[in-house]
Amino acid sequence: MNTGYLYALLAFGLWGLTPIYFKYLSHTPPVEMVANRVLWSVILLLILITGMAKWYRVRLLISQPKHLFTLLLTTVLIATNWLVFIWAINDGRMLETSLGYYINPLITVFLGYIFLQEKHSRVKWFAVFLAAIGVALQLFIVGYLPWVSLVLAFSFGFYGLLHKRTPTDSLTSLFLETSLLLPFAMGYLLWLSYQGEGPATRGTSDWLFLILAGPITTAPLLFFSGAAKRLPLSVIGFFQYLSPSMLFVLAIFVYGEPFDPYKLITFIFIWIALAIFSWDSLRRR
């Protein structure tokens, strides 16, 4: 259990710190950043899968067309999630990314009901309703729909939903997803180089940090897998609020993003919804 707590803290703590990394490389366009993230993740995952002797899982998944099609969908979802996340961080919308990952557990409840016929208590549905009010307030009071938050929440929600139907571990699936993206990533990076942009203009310091995109992508996932094997889901559920909370603190106190009263009202609705959601989960367990 103690090892599980440590793994969970490392996983969600690292996810919460990734904006610092992307802010440092804010001069790198988001698409180029995603392409580098794909390239260096594939290289690192290739080493890990070989070292952990997991090639049989890769072969098993490739041999099943149904699961391979599911991975094509998850590849599109994770690429969308990465691109929007990096763009939002560099565009000064870290608060919206924080809101998106706060909403995500409630979106997961909704998707589970729609697609998996999962039954939920009235208390959980009330929490989802409060979250919907919080998002609607942005639209009706401010006249602005927090689309970044919704894209992040729904893309990651559907990503998790589809992975429930794929019988493999997260390391193998991430390797196949990034491998499917690799031709596009390499093609884009080569095109930039041909134009005398992107990789052709990067200094040694930038290249060292771009290579870190591999460990930054895979390390939290490995820690999360270790935590999931050792801790109850209810405990994992509490730890997952660490990342958006760190994003929230970084956005306000480190990067000075404006936090007007209307945004505060939306966050209050989401926080109350999450408190009710967590209380009901603990009570039932």
Side-chain angles (χ1 to χ4, degrees):
M1 288 286 286
N2 289 336
T3 305
Y5 290 135
L6 177 61
Y7 284 164
L9 185 63
L10 288 170
F12 291 105
L14 287 173
W15 273 324
L17 291 173
T18 52
I20 299 174
Y21 169 78
F22 292 119
K23 276 287 190 182
Y24 178 81
L25 291 171
S26 58
H27 54 281
T28 306
V31 178
E32 185 185 344
M33 190 67 244
V34 171
N36 275 283
R37 193 173 190 180
V38 168
L39 170 62
W40 300 112
S41 293
V42 169
I43 293 173
L44 180 58
L45 288 165
L46 190 64
I47 296 170
L48 290 173
I49 287 176
T50 302
M52 299 169 71
K54 286 194 173 185
W55 280 108
Y56 72 96
R57 295 194 177 189
V58 176
R59 290 192 294 269
L60 179 64
L61 205 58
I62 292 176
S63 66
Q64 302 177 61
K66 176 184 176 183
H67 297 315
L68 193 58
F69 177 73
T70 301
L71 277 176
L72 286 173
L73 296 177
T74 58
T75 299
V76 173
L77 289 169
I78 198 62
T80 302
N81 188 276
W82 285 354
L83 183 60
V84 172
F85 179 81
I86 294 171
W87 174 83
I89 292 297
N90 292 339
D91 197 55
R93 300 191 179 200
M94 201 179 297
L95 279 173
E96 289 187 45
T97 66
S98 171
L99 181 64
Y101 288 114
Y102 272 130
I103 294 174
N104 179 248
L106 303 173
I107 294 296
T108 302
V109 168
F110 177 74
L111 295 178
Y113 173 77
I114 297 295
F115 294 99
L116 302 178
Q117 288 76 53
E118 292 180 353
K119 302 300 180 183
H120 302 294
S121 67
R122 292 180 179 178
V123 176
K124 277 193 173 62
W125 281 118
F126 179 62
V128 174
F129 175 69
L130 286 178
I133 291 177
V135 172
L137 283 172
Q138 289 280 302
L139 178 61
F140 292 110
I141 297 179
V142 186
Y144 170 75
L145 186 68
W147 66 268
V148 168
S149 307
L150 295 176
V151 169
L152 290 176
F154 274 98
S155 62
F156 204 71
F158 274 107
Y159 181 79
L161 174 70
L162 289 172
H163 268 294
K164 274 186 169 291
R165 301 171 179 268
T166 307
T168 187
D169 61 288
S170 53
L171 194 68
T172 304
S173 61
L174 183 64
F175 172 69
L176 286 171
E177 287 160 354
T178 50
S179 296
L180 289 169
L181 289 170
L182 185 60
F184 302 99
M186 288 300 298
Y188 181 73
L189 292 174
L190 289 172
W191 179 80
L192 284 178
S193 297
Y194 178 76
Q195 298 291 322
E197 302 174 2
T201 64
R202 302 294 171 217
T204 304
S205 175
D206 277 358
W207 271 113
L208 290 174
F209 274 91
L210 288 170
I211 291 172
L212 284 176
I216 283 172
T217 300
T218 56
L221 189 68
L222 290 173
F223 287 129
F224 175 79
S225 297
K229 292 176 182 177
R230 293 168 172 81
L231 298 175
L233 285 178
S234 58
V235 176
I236 293 290
F238 276 108
F239 269 103
Q240 74 178 344
Y241 301 137
L242 176 63
S243 297
S245 298
M246 292 174 69
L247 288 172
F248 182 85
V249 171
L250 285 171
I252 295 177
F253 297 106
V254 177
Y255 297 107
E257 288 192 16
F259 191 51
D260 56 60
Y262 300 116
K263 287 183 181 178
L264 177 60
I265 292 172
T266 298
F267 270 95
I268 286 174
F269 268 93
I270 301 300
W271 288 332
I272 293 173
L274 289 174
I276 293 172
F277 176 87
S278 301
W279 170 79
D280 185 64
S281 298
L282 281 178
R283 179 178 63 88
R284 289 178 172 276
R285 184 168 293 276

